[in-house]
Amino acid sequence: MALRHLRVLPHPLTNFTPKLSPNRPKHRVCFSLSASPIMASISRKVLVPIADGTEPMEAVITVDVLRRSGADVTVASAGNQLTVQALHGVKIVADAVVSDVADTTFDLVALPGGVPGVDNLRECGVLEKLVKKHVEDGRLYAAVCAAPAAVLGPWGLLKGVKATCYPAFMEKLASYTTTVESRVQLDGKVVTSRAPGTTMEFGVALVEQLYGKQKADEVAGPLVMRSNHSDEYVFAELNPVQWTTENPPKILVPIANGSEEMEAVIIIDILRRAKANVVVASLEDKLEIVASRNVKLEADMLLDEAAKLSYDLIVLPGGLGGAQTFAKSETLVSLLKKQRENRYYGAICASPALVLEPHGLLKGKKATAFPALCNKLSDPSEAENRVVVDGNLVTSRGPGTSIEFALAIVEKLFGRKLGLELAKTIVFTSP
């Protein structure tokens, strides 16, 4: 067995400590100033505005994590249509348009980044008015990536606070406020963060501010988050083979009602950043699916159409409902069995245990899966690894390992250099 290493350099961190899986060191996220979380048993109302050009990982991870806490999250389009064309060809269907919720009182407004998404958010007059009143009322607000510098700063909402943002926007941010290089930064009522690779920490930090540390720990545990961003991350590789593909490689990512939205979007986003030809196929009778935390995503085509094509790699996101649908699909299972013969395939979270294992697709293979489902693997000997590559198969554990999973795939398809570059680009490792 070989362990492949990608270097993770230290980052100044911020004072939030999510609960992690047993026997792992705690990952500290320290805040510069303390703020009293809103403590209550009632559901907190959250607005996550999105626009054409929004960074899909940042939007979807934020929504997913907050909904895990029980927050009532409204995804609102800053345009005139519910369907938003996010970056990297990801289509997100909003719950409402911003004008529909202009008079609603929210406990938190959280802005994702992405260019030109941040420009479209900033130019939405209804959103600007809503957010400024929200801040004047002393309520919690947040932004990630380019949004602190390109939206909150120009709106005058960062005066006198410390904030962080995407590294390339730090100079711009400095014209509005005091900058820090924390992965997540809390100052008073504003929380800021750096990039797609810090968004899960950002989301859990928001949960702590809304509901308290106990709830944040409860949410963080099942995510299988990384224990320490200053450590190297590794993936276990057994029976190594050189992956050879078309240029660009063609990849099928099936989705269904109940698929885990973070896992699906992270896989799609990162593989498309690597310039892979990714086809997103719906197993439902329409393109739109409702994922496990009620994020609505739109596929490129239906599975029956996608099945007419050939792929270098088929990779399954998790999510209990989605995995159950995958396992029942004769079309998808047939594709996977053919894929196993001479091409590449992968799965994360519930899918290795609930899709691959029952159909004999893990026979003779080492794999991992979501911790609570590893007892369903016929060979769980490598299941403690966050990502396992065994020949032409790659598996992983859960939402918090999705970026490592996607980077491992990039490395196998395109080489280590590109994997490292992407890890830095999304601030998963030091830029």
Side-chain angles (χ1 to χ4, degrees):
M1 179 176 72
L3 290 179
R4 304 296 299 276
H5 298 255
L6 293 181
R7 180 68 176 168
V8 181
L9 300 177
H11 249 297
L13 301 181
T14 57
N15 245 336
F16 164 74
T17 309
K19 184 178 180 180
L20 299 161
S21 52
N23 304 318
R24 291 183 180 272
K26 291 184 177 180
H27 169 198
R28 295 191 61 78
V29 183
C30 306
F31 295 129
S32 64
L33 295 178
S34 61
S36 298
I38 304 168
M39 301 294 290
S41 59
I42 63 171
S43 177
R44 293 295 171 183
K45 294 182 72 65
V46 179
L47 175 65
V48 178
I50 59 174
D52 290 344
T54 286
E55 174 29 70
M57 277 199 275
E58 292 165 359
V60 170
I61 292 171
T62 301
V63 174
D64 188 324
V65 172
L66 286 166
R67 284 181 173 163
R68 286 169 180 259
S69 74
D72 177 6
V73 181
T74 299
V75 181
S77 167
N80 297 321
Q81 305 294 326
L82 290 178
T83 300
V84 166
Q85 303 288 330
L87 292 175
H88 314 298
V90 175
K91 303 182 187 76
I92 304 171
V93 182
D95 305 315
V97 295
V98 170
S99 57
D100 291 338
V101 298
D103 297 325
T104 304
T105 298
F106 293 97
D107 297 289
L108 164 68
V109 177
L111 308 179
V115 178
V118 288
D119 300 323
N120 292 325
L121 293 178
R122 186 184 62 250
E123 297 305 317
C124 178
V126 177
L127 179 63
E128 180 179 1
K129 183 178 178 181
L130 184 159
V131 176
K132 284 183 174 179
K133 184 179 187 304
H134 177 89
V135 175
E136 288 171 3
D137 290 344
R139 299 180 184 276
L140 187 68
Y141 59 111
V144 63
C145 196
V151 185
L152 295 185
W155 284 351
L157 301 179
L158 293 178
K159 293 177 181 178
V161 302
K162 293 180 180 179
T164 191
C165 72
Y166 191 70
F169 280 80
M170 289 292 275
E171 186 175 348
K172 181 179 179 69
L173 181 65
S175 65
Y176 299 111
T177 192
T178 302
T179 62
V180 291
E181 293 187 356
S182 305
R183 293 178 66 83
V184 179
Q185 181 70 29
L186 168 67
D187 194 339
K189 290 291 185 179
V190 61
V191 182
T192 52
S193 190
R194 305 216 81 184
T198 68
T199 306
M200 201 170 297
E201 300 152 73
F202 173 68
V204 177
L206 295 177
V207 171
E208 179 170 348
Q209 291 308 300
L210 289 173
Y211 291 107
K213 188 177 184 305
Q214 182 177 347
K215 175 60 72 173
D217 288 346
E218 290 173 4
V219 169
L223 294 176
V224 201
M225 293 170 69
R226 291 182 67 200
S227 59
N228 193 330
H229 279 270
S230 65
D231 287 348
E232 289 184 343
Y233 80 81
V234 300
F235 65 88
E237 184 163 25
L238 306 99
N239 304 309
V241 296
Q242 181 70 40
W243 286 20
T244 57
T245 67
E246 295 180 5
N247 187 20
K250 194 164 192 175
I251 300 171
L252 176 64
V253 179
I255 57 174
N257 291 336
S259 287
E260 214 308 313
E261 46 268 84
M262 276 196 278
E263 295 165 356
V265 168
I266 288 169
I267 293 164
I268 295 162
D269 187 316
I270 290 178
L271 292 178
R272 283 181 173 163
R273 285 172 183 262
K275 307 304 181 187
N277 180 2
V278 179
V279 174
V280 182
S282 169
L283 271 72
E284 307 301 333
D285 58 5
K286 58 181 181 179
L287 294 178
E288 183 181 317
I289 67 101
V290 181
S292 60
R293 265 76 196 180
N294 293 318
V295 172
K296 295 183 277 292
L297 302 172
E298 187 177 307
D300 303 318
M301 62 182 71
L302 300 180
L303 181 65
D304 286 347
E305 181 182 357
K308 298 173 184 176
L309 307 172
S310 60
Y311 301 93
D312 295 291
L313 169 69
I314 299 175
V315 58
L316 310 180
L320 184 60
Q324 290 170 337
T325 297
F326 294 163
K328 293 174 184 175
S329 170
E330 293 182 5
T331 300
L332 180 58
V333 171
S334 176
L335 286 173
L336 287 165
K337 287 182 175 179
K338 291 178 183 176
Q339 200 75 12
R340 174 190 164 96
E341 293 174 5
N342 57 12
R343 302 310 291 159
Y344 314 107
Y345 64 113
I348 187 171
C349 197
S351 287
L354 300 186
V355 186
L356 301 185
E357 180 68 43
H359 290 287
L361 292 162
L362 295 183
K363 186 176 181 180
K365 296 284 190 181
K366 305 286 187 181
T368 189
F370 188 70
L373 295 174
C374 283
N375 60 354
K376 295 184 179 296
L377 300 176
S378 55
D379 182 353
S381 59
E382 299 294 331
E384 289 299 313
N385 290 298
R386 295 173 66 80
V387 181
V388 177
V389 179
D390 188 348
N392 64 339
L393 169 69
V394 55
T395 55
S396 190
R397 309 210 80 185
T401 68
S402 298
I403 291 179
E404 294 149 274
F405 178 58
L407 290 172
I409 292 171
V410 169
E411 185 166 331
K412 292 301 295 181
L413 293 174
F414 297 98
R416 179 178 177 82
K417 182 179 178 181
L418 182 58
L420 287 168
E421 288 175 359
L422 289 178
K424 292 179 181 179
T425 298
I426 64 173
V427 197
F428 192 64
T429 60
S430 179

